[in-house]
């Protein structure tokens, strides 16, 4: 029997990460290797954003098609500008207002950003993460870090180091940094600043209304040209999906739907409640931020419990639930 060498998992204090613990992972990044690390949104699969071969390892590890661009993580707006050929006034305003935090800005790229990182696009997606561990790693590495969510292509993003291990495996990683569960729980909001009007490409951890208080109404992706939308794979109809099939169902219909179909059934409620005949019943909070923090862990859990079907109570139709409605509609199985 053969045993693979265990990937070092480094446990760090999420609030006060010890730089000495992160130094080997930072060196691995500089050497072109992959490192799993926490951000405030979800765990990232990091590689040097300036090294095309390192970026190629990300695509291979995720089994992600190479036409899907990566988000590049930087410490701040000054570092971001080193990667941008233009820095629009709105990039300045929005980064000043919301960085570090769960906001990604798409701006024209400089030539030295490898084409593979941006999937051949003339633009690059930039984000300064707020998580102290991500920031300490960026400081120690001294390079921008390209990092998609650390999961297999199209599956649910990881919000714990355990999810990374389960969804991606450890074989491709030089290091996995465990900074505990992430606090935002869904991916960053992505805003495209390359056109005349800013476009909300992906709703996410930063509420669109907070951005619109500064920019005025953002264009929605439904209303932009198809090629611009296609450039943003987070918009793919099926994405963020667990292994189980997912259905969005009104509370009143949950019991009936659960009895239809075969296999173990998991149900995710919003708020408390009793339901009969459900194999696994999970309750998520009624506050959208708290719901977001816990949603992916709930999906990972129901997958691990072997559910063939997951029924999720429909979410309210209000703006504060928009990012979660977006994720669940993409997690849901078409048809
Ligand atoms: O919260 C997050 O954003 C996480 C953490 C790790 O930072 N990262 C993440 O990365 O979600 P990923 O690769 O799963 O999502 C990247 C998103 C895609 O939806 C992609 O469409 C968009 O960013 N994107 C990246 N570069 C782009 C570009 N040049 N133009 C348009 N969209 C871009
Ligand atoms: Mg992803």
């Amino acid at each position: 029997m053969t045993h693979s060498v265990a990937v070092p998992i480094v446990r760090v204090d999420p609030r006060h990460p010890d730089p000495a613990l992160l130094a080997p992972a930072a060196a691995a990044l500089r050497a072109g290797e992959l490192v799993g690390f926490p951000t405030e949104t979800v765990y990232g699969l990091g590689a040097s954003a300036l090294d095309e071969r390192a970026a190629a390892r990300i695509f291979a590890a995720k089994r992600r098609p190479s036409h899907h661009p990566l988000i590049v993580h930087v410490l701040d707006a000054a570092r971001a500008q080193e990667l941008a050929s233009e820095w629009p006034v709105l990039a300045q305003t929005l980064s000043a207002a919301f960085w570090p935090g769960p906001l990604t800005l798409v701006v024209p790229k400089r030539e030295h950003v490898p084409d593979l990182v941006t999937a051949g696009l003339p633009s690059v997606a930039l984000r300064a993460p707020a998580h102290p561990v991500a920031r300490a790693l960026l400081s120690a590495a001294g390079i921008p870090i390209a990092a998609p969510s650390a999961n297999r292509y199209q599956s649910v993003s990881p919000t714990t180091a355990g999810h990374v291990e389960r969804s991606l495996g450890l074989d491709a990683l030089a290091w996995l940094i465990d900074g505990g569960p992430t606090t935002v729980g869904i991916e960053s909001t992505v805003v495209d600043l390359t056109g005349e009007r800013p476009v909300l490409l992906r709703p996410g951890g930063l509420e669109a209304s907070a951005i619109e208080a500064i920019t005025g109404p953002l264009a929605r992706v439904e209303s932009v040209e198809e090629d611009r939308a296609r450039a943003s794979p987070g918009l793919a109809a099926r994405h963020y999906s667990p292994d189980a099939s997912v259905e969005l169902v009104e509370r009143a219909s949950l019991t009936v739907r659960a009895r239809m179909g075969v296999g173990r059934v998991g149900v995710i409620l919003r708020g408390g409640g009793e339901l009969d005949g459900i194999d696994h019943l999970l309750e998520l909070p009624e506050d959208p931020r708290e719901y977001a923090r816990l949603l992916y862990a709930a999906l990972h859990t129901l997958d691990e419990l072997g559910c063939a079907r997951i029924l999720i109570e429909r979410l309210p139709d209000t703006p504060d639930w928009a990012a979660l409605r977006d994720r669940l509609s993409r997690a849901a199985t078409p048809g």
Side-chain angles (χ1 to χ4, degrees):
M1 218 175 124
T2 55
H3 294 274
S4 53
V5 177
V7 170
I9 300 179
V10 194
R11 218 158 265 122
V12 296
D13 178 342
R15 292 206 200 159
H16 305 285
D18 177 353
L21 291 176
L22 296 173
L29 285 169
R30 282 195 301 272
E33 298 187 80
L34 299 183
V35 172
F37 68 98
T39 81
E40 72 277 28
T41 57
V42 300
Y43 273 68
L45 175 63
S48 166
L50 302 176
D51 178 344
E52 186 129 46
R53 281 198 307 189
R57 288 182 165 173
I58 292 179
F59 289 95
K62 280 189 67 115
R63 304 199 190 131
R64 169 151 153 159
S66 57
H67 59 271
H68 288 205
L70 305 173
I71 292 176
V72 177
H73 298 69
V74 291
L75 267 179
D76 52 34
R79 262 57 157 244
Q81 284 172 72
E82 293 170 5
L83 305 172
S85 65
E86 280 170 53
W87 192 245
V89 176
L90 271 185
Q92 193 51 44
T93 325
L94 292 177
S95 61
F98 300 116
W99 282 5
L103 172 65
T104 295
L105 300 174
V106 176
V107 294
K109 85 172 186 86
R110 278 205 207 184
E111 218 167 313
H112 71 283
V113 179
D115 281 336
L116 189 60
V117 168
T118 67
L121 294 169
S123 57
V124 60
L126 298 167
R127 165 165 121 78
H131 198 295
V133 174
R135 301 188 62 72
L137 187 64
L138 280 163
S139 291
I143 49 172
I145 301 176
S149 50
N151 53 279
R152 279 273 141 75
Y153 180 59
Q154 293 190 325
S155 64
V156 179
S157 293
T159 56
T160 66
H163 296 158
V164 177
E165 185 170 353
R166 180 176 160 267
S167 148
L168 200 63
L170 297 177
D171 289 350
L173 298 178
W175 296 86
L176 174 57
I177 298 165
D178 182 350
T182 64
T183 51
V184 174
I186 58 170
E187 300 81 355
S188 62
T189 303
V190 182
V191 176
D192 181 352
L193 299 178
T194 61
E196 261 170 43
R197 281 185 63 194
V199 181
L200 179 67
L201 289 181
R202 178 176 78 179
L206 177 65
E207 246 194 76
S209 62
I211 301 169
E212 290 179 316
I214 293 176
T215 59
L218 292 166
R220 296 307 202 261
V221 112
E222 300 79 50
S223 63
V224 301
E225 323 82 90
E226 220 182 283
D227 56 335
R228 226 167 137 195
R230 212 181 305 119
S232 212
L235 309 170
R238 184 174 171 85
H239 212 107
Y240 314 104
S241 299
D243 299 335
S245 73
V246 171
E247 255 186 274
L248 309 179
V249 181
E250 300 296 339
R251 159 94 53 142
S253 311
L254 279 167
T255 311
V256 173
R257 292 298 309 172
R259 289 205 194 100
M260 300 164 72
V262 288
R264 193 178 284 268
V265 183
V267 169
I268 299 178
L269 291 179
R270 193 172 47 79
E274 299 275 311
L275 286 185
D276 290 333
I278 309 293
D279 297 309
H280 300 286
L281 185 62
L282 301 183
E283 293 175 8
L284 288 180
E286 286 180 277
D287 172 70
R289 281 175 182 242
E290 283 300 298
Y291 190 106
R293 186 168 69 79
L294 299 169
L295 172 65
Y296 289 167
L299 295 175
H300 281 286
T301 298
L302 293 176
D303 263 349
E304 276 167 50
L305 289 167
C307 290
R309 299 189 296 140
I310 299 176
L311 307 184
I312 303 178
E313 180 179 358
R314 254 185 212 292
L315 301 180
D317 210 17
T318 50
D320 49 346
W321 288 88
L324 285 158
R325 284 197 306 274
D326 172 86
R327 293 305 184 279
L328 288 185
S329 70
R330 291 173 210 283
T333 316

